[in-house]
Amino acid sequence: MLPRRRHVPLLIAVLLAGCGGTPVVAPEPPAGPPLPRDMARRVDGRVTTGWPTTLEEREARARIARLIGPAVKDRAGWAEDLHAAFAHLKLVPADETYCAAIAIIEQESSFQADPVVPGLPDIVRRELDRRAERFGIPRFLIASALRTTSPNGRSYEQRIDTLRTEKQLSELFDDMISELPLGRQLLADYNPVHTGGPMQVGVTFAEQHVQERRYPYPVPRALRDEVFTRRGGLYFGSAMLLDYPAPYDEVVYRFADYNAGRYASRNAAFQAALTRWSGRPLVPDGDLLRYQNGKPGETPSQVEIVLRSNAAALQMSATEIRRDLLLEKSAAFGQSPLYARVFALADKAVGSALPRQMLPRIDLDSPKFERKLTTAGFARRVAQRHQACLARAAGS
């Protein structure tokens, strides 16, 4: 996706028919973590949260293919890469989890590995004009530079005129930065593509993820390029969506996290509780700190200011408040003293338990959006697709 988007289980044992029609009983389930609450489903009126029975791989891939909409081309190929992503990440192989990933793919790309974005040439030219004006570079110099031949044998001007996908756009900017005489001065490592691929996963997330877990595929050129492939996009997208413990009762909040950042739905509920207790209005956007270049800044956010002004009631120092706020992107914040005390005081003030989850209130902004979009709207649309996928599962 172009500039920032604010832009996050269970199978019943089955009998598989053998080659000669003899039933083959699925193996016993392995030891492992329970299905998250937001992925649990009801069986005979009871919520089931046990670890699912593992299907034989061939049947698992066939089952994923049946969950994918019938109009999708190369369903078997998509199922193969999604199955591989789940296996490498050790994600729970269940209809609920597969359908969660499928719903994101449908929403973000309609099952296109490198989706087409209308109007990219105009977007690029406007950005080049804006940056030329900012740095005082005459437009005729920009025009002359764009007429030079790029590494793929075509001029930069020709490449801009025929831009159709974000992968092409990312490669164009990388070449301009490294090859054009004015490239480094004009763009200074600027690449407008922050998310990409079939699940529109963040490039920054992918770069951070490989620091914690080895990427299972060879990288021919740069990790950024892997985000735009089907295998890489499904791997990193599935990790972003499912490879973390989310404290939610409904999967719609996990979908909101996918759009706004992990634990944004939990943090938005925290902001709402803080507003109810303190009387100070705060926008429940899921960000508790101010960020600069993806890292917490020194300038306190409105949330931190309100918390500091109530430090005595919280029985916490400014340093302790900051310490806990720095945990906001992790599960640990939900077990922190700050989280517990704010909710205890807020619950007491209103006389009942306030929600611990809330759809963040965020307006999405990108040159490629033609209408107003929000994180809440995104999450609800994906949740509808998730239900449609589960209906296909029930039908199969």
Side-chain angles (χ1 to χ4, degrees):
M1 178 181 290
L2 300 172
R4 187 179 69 88
R5 182 183 66 178
R6 288 279 314 261
H7 348 3
V8 206
L10 194 156
L11 288 172
I12 300 173
V14 295
L15 296 178
L16 306 177
C19 297
T22 304
V24 180
V25 180
E28 290 297 317
L35 179 75
R37 287 179 297 168
D38 60 339
M39 292 294 175
R41 69 177 178 183
R42 293 188 177 275
V43 177
D44 295 331
R46 294 176 292 108
V47 174
T48 305
T49 57
W51 186 261
T53 298
T54 301
L55 292 171
E56 189 271 331
E57 287 193 3
R58 182 183 302 174
E59 173 57 23
R61 290 192 291 269
R63 185 168 188 82
I64 298 170
R66 291 193 293 271
L67 295 176
I68 297 172
V72 173
K73 296 180 180 179
D74 191 18
R75 294 165 74 189
W78 284 96
E80 174 72 28
D81 285 339
L82 188 57
H83 177 268
F86 271 53
H88 287 306
L89 293 165
K90 295 180 171 57
L91 299 175
V92 176
D95 290 346
E96 288 76 11
T97 48
Y98 287 134
C99 280
I102 288 168
I104 291 289
I105 299 167
E106 287 181 349
Q107 179 65 36
E108 294 286 30
S109 71
S110 299
F111 279 88
Q112 299 178 70
D114 187 22
V116 173
V117 180
L120 277 183
D122 290 339
I123 292 172
V124 171
R125 291 189 183 282
R126 284 197 300 270
E127 180 62 25
L128 290 176
D129 288 345
R130 186 183 70 81
R131 297 181 77 83
E133 182 177 354
R134 174 184 172 186
F135 293 105
I137 300 175
R139 289 191 178 184
F140 76 87
L141 289 180
I142 302 296
S144 177
L146 294 180
R147 286 194 292 270
T148 62
T149 302
S150 73
N152 74 355
R154 303 167 66 210
S155 72
Y156 290 100
E157 191 170 51
Q158 290 173 324
R159 290 175 64 178
I160 291 173
D161 289 340
T162 57
L163 279 174
R164 297 181 69 250
T165 72
E166 290 177 328
K167 179 181 180 182
Q168 293 172 348
L169 178 60
S170 180
E171 292 172 347
L172 171 69
F173 270 78
D174 283 347
D175 286 345
M176 288 196 296
I177 290 170
S178 61
E179 300 291 334
L180 286 180
L182 295 173
R184 183 68 62 180
Q185 177 185 357
L186 182 65
L187 301 172
D189 294 324
Y190 170 81
N191 190 313
V193 181
H194 304 298
T195 62
M199 297 182 74
Q200 289 290 288
V201 70
V203 174
T204 299
F205 172 81
E207 292 170 344
Q208 293 172 344
H209 192 268
V210 297
Q211 300 301 316
E212 303 168 4
R213 188 192 295 240
R214 187 185 66 84
Y215 184 57
Y217 304 112
V219 180
R221 195 175 80 157
L223 185 68
R224 163 182 281 271
D225 298 332
E226 284 295 293
V227 170
F228 299 102
T229 66
R230 188 170 70 186
R231 70 179 188 187
L234 295 188
Y235 175 85
F236 290 116
S238 297
M240 175 65 187
L241 177 64
L242 297 168
D243 195 20
Y244 73 107
Y248 306 132
D249 294 326
E250 298 180 37
V251 70
V252 67
Y253 299 106
R254 188 181 286 267
F255 295 143
D257 280 9
Y258 188 85
N259 183 262
R262 286 181 174 176
Y263 299 105
S265 297
R266 179 202 61 192
N267 295 348
F270 177 84
Q271 290 168 308
L274 181 57
T275 292
R276 293 291 297 274
W277 169 59
S278 68
R280 299 275 295 276
L282 297 166
V283 177
D285 60 3
D287 269 344
L288 306 184
L289 294 169
R290 290 183 182 274
Y291 284 82
Q292 297 175 341
N293 299 321
K295 297 181 179 180
E298 294 298 324
T299 303
S301 65
Q302 286 300 309
V303 170
E304 188 169 7
I305 290 171
V306 172
L307 289 168
R308 287 183 181 183
S309 67
N310 291 278
L314 291 167
Q315 298 182 335
M316 297 181 71
S317 67
T319 300
E320 290 170 328
I321 289 171
R322 179 73 172 188
R323 175 202 65 198
D324 288 359
L325 287 177
L326 288 171
L327 301 173
E328 68 156 318
K329 302 299 183 183
S330 70
F333 180 68
Q335 285 76 52
S336 68
L338 178 62
Y339 180 92
R341 292 177 193 183
V342 166
F343 269 108
L345 291 166
D347 290 347
K348 182 178 180 180
V350 301
S352 62
L354 291 169
R356 266 50 172 180
Q357 53 197 14
M358 173 182 289
L359 292 178
R361 191 187 304 166
I362 302 170
D363 292 332
L364 304 180
D365 182 26
S366 171
K368 76 176 187 179
F369 294 159
E370 297 179 354
R371 57 191 174 89
K372 182 178 179 180
L373 299 175
T374 66
T375 288
F378 170 89
R380 292 190 183 104
R381 286 190 297 275
V382 177
Q384 291 172 350
R385 295 181 185 278
H386 185 248
Q387 287 300 312
C389 179
L390 290 177
R392 291 194 292 270
S396 65

